[in-house]
Amino acid sequence: MTNVFRKGWRPAAVLLLLFILWELAVNFAEVPAWLLPPPTDIIQEAVMGWEGFRMHLQSTVLLSLWGFAIGTAIGLLTAVILHLLPFIRESIYPLLILSQNVPIIVLAPLLVVWFGFGVLPKLIVITLVCFFPITVAALDGFRQTPGELRHYMLMAGAGRGQLFWKLELPYSLPSLFSGLKISATYSVMGAVISEWLGAKAGIGVYMTLASSSFRTDRVFVAIFAIMLLSLLFFGGILLAERLLIKWKSRESGRK
Amino acid sequence: MIQLSVNSLTKSFDSNRVLSNLSFQVNEGEFVSILGPSGSGKSTIFNLIGGMLLPDEGSITLGNVEISGKRGSISYMPQTPSLMPWRTTLQNVLLGQEIMGKADPETARKMLQKAGLGDYENAYPHELSGGMKQRTAFIRALLSPQPIILLDEPFSALDELTRLDMQKWLLDIWNEHKPTILFVTHNIEEAIYLSDRILILGSKPAKVVQEFKVTFGRPRMEEIFLDENFLECKRSIHYALKTH
């Protein structure tokens, strides 16, 4: 924890400085609040409007967590299947890359047309943005197992299953966690985008309402909430990584 | 009793003949070294015995069972320690047993104690020195249930002092458990110091060109390095390597 403060004070100070500059610039140039509100206004709105904002936040957090969980599960499953069945990898992997080239903004309304306004199209959107970094990271991890370890395992008589569970999977964990970190932050973005399309609650809904009524201060509240949420998710993954990969964190801690 | 028998093994890669009519035997409880220059096909021999490659001609039997192409028939210690970085010392030495069936942590713990690794039972490989890693790798091979251990130049990456230490340590352990060992090295002194029998390998294609019986009794002390007979033995092996 002390480490966080020791390393974190510099960016925090820069952030604070930026806010002060922003406040001064807005006041000095007399920019109207609907165009660009000063930070103090935004903080005030965040505190005053907390009651109304809370349910939106809650809904987005829940949606992102579910989406992330499903995306992770599908991402891992895809990676394992593609890894263990090379002929499937050769035919599917290029298509996976294509799937990432479809703009979500275009795809999302289509999903609503197909699946309605329920939770399903939203989860599909989040899963689509989440699973890919995990699949790629896990696949890379599986394939980068050192030849000497693989040779030992084979000489010792390991079967395909043992090779996977005792070597490839544990070896890929650090790489997998890099993918999880990316996906964790994507999941919040995915949730917000999917809420734009139509939902009863969520930061995405709150944001659309705010911008259409020129409540720029609320838009900024939403932006900061999204940033904070992404940061929290990222931190959560970081913590899980520390707990799970003791052998690696100590190693790099030494250097 | 003959434990491992390699019979007229031939192996080529494309048009390159690596082994030609290679034959030798290792008896039960015997320590046999294969001595040959680098690139003389030693790893190919190990890969054949380990079942990673199939011979073009010839057969390999262990006990009375044909094992060519059957992985997991022998216990193996590679040139690099090849420990799993996420496993502690104890978990690493149990890996060979795990792969073949059931792990027995109690025996492993006792063996680690005796090998001077008792305090490092829960350490990860990156916390161990080079010598300690090799000891761990050897104990892993020793604990594996297969009847013969193949050692592939296990000390070649260590510095001179550590290597001497490790050789002494290996002899101690070997005296206690008397496992059957096939040891590959390119170090003449190491081969004489450790083995009962030395097979000199000629290169391209590899075959056994000469065989030396090492007559020193056991347990062997470090002092034999300076013994007249030791030097004589070293000289004849040196010539044998030169002339082939």
Side-chain angles (χ1 to χ4, degrees), chain B residues 2 4-10 20-25 49 55 57-63 65-66:
Chain B
I2 293 171
L4 176 77
S5 172
V6 170
N7 312 307
S8 10
L9 228 49
T10 300
S20 165
N21 210 10
L22 177 85
S23 298
F24 63 86
Q25 272 98 32
I49 299 176
E57 281 165 48
S59 67
I60 307 161
T61 54
L62 184 69
V65 185
E66 171 73 39

Side-chain angles (χ1 to χ4, degrees), chain B residues 27-226:
Chain B
N27 300 317
E28 195 175 340
E30 201 182 16
F31 195 129
V32 176
S33 288
I34 295 180
L35 190 66
S38 307
S40 58
K42 288 176 293 189
S43 351
T44 309
I45 297 176
F46 268 19
N47 280 332
L48 284 165
I49 299 176
M52 303 284 287
L53 297 171
L54 275 174
D56 297 339
E57 281 165 48
S59 67
I60 307 161
T61 54
L62 184 69
N64 281 316
V65 185
E66 171 73 39
I67 58 158
S68 34
K70 286 189 191 152
R71 293 192 289 106
S73 310
I74 48 91
S75 171
Y76 174 61
M77 175 181 178
Q79 200 164 356
T80 54
S82 305
L83 304 173
M84 308 291 150
W86 53 89
R87 284 176 172 247
T88 62
T89 306
L90 181 66
Q91 292 167 335
N92 258 309
V93 297
L94 288 172
L95 183 60
Q97 291 185 345
E98 265 176 48
I99 291 172
M100 293 316 287
K102 220 175 134 30
D104 173 12
E106 268 325 298
T107 320
R109 239 180 231 126
K110 273 183 209 142
M111 209 173 267
L112 282 177
Q113 284 292 350
K114 272 191 197 150
L117 289 166
D119 296 340
Y120 295 91
E121 194 182 294
N122 295 315
Y124 290 96
H126 67 87
E127 297 165 312
L128 304 177
S129 70
M132 279 164 24
K133 279 184 206 166
Q134 286 294 14
R135 283 177 206 212
T136 308
F138 181 71
I139 293 174
R140 177 175 65 183
L142 196 59
L143 281 169
S144 301
Q146 295 91 342
I148 182 169
I149 305 177
L150 265 57
L151 290 95
D152 186 4
E153 301 188 13
F155 308 143
S156 58
L158 299 173
D159 63 89
E160 190 66 30
L161 291 174
T162 317
R163 180 160 56 224
L164 272 175
D165 253 14
M166 287 296 297
Q167 290 165 353
K168 225 163 50 183
W169 178 83
L170 180 64
L171 274 189
D172 283 349
I173 295 254
W174 185 79
N175 266 326
E176 196 171 324
H177 300 271
K178 288 275 159 45
T180 313
I181 288 186
L182 182 61
F183 189 95
V184 161
T185 181
H186 54 233
N187 186 323
I188 302 177
E189 292 190 345
E190 184 170 86
I192 303 173
Y193 182 44
L194 297 174
S195 3
D196 296 317
R197 209 145 47 88
I198 300 171
L199 310 169
I200 310 283
L201 215 61
S203 57
K204 278 173 202 160
K207 53 178 179 289
V208 178
V209 292
Q210 207 165 343
E211 193 180 312
F212 281 87
K213 257 197 142 43
V214 182
T215 47
F216 298 105
R218 293 188 188 266
R220 283 178 194 161
M221 299 298 141
E222 245 180 303
E223 287 75 52
I224 69 160
F225 275 111
L226 302 169

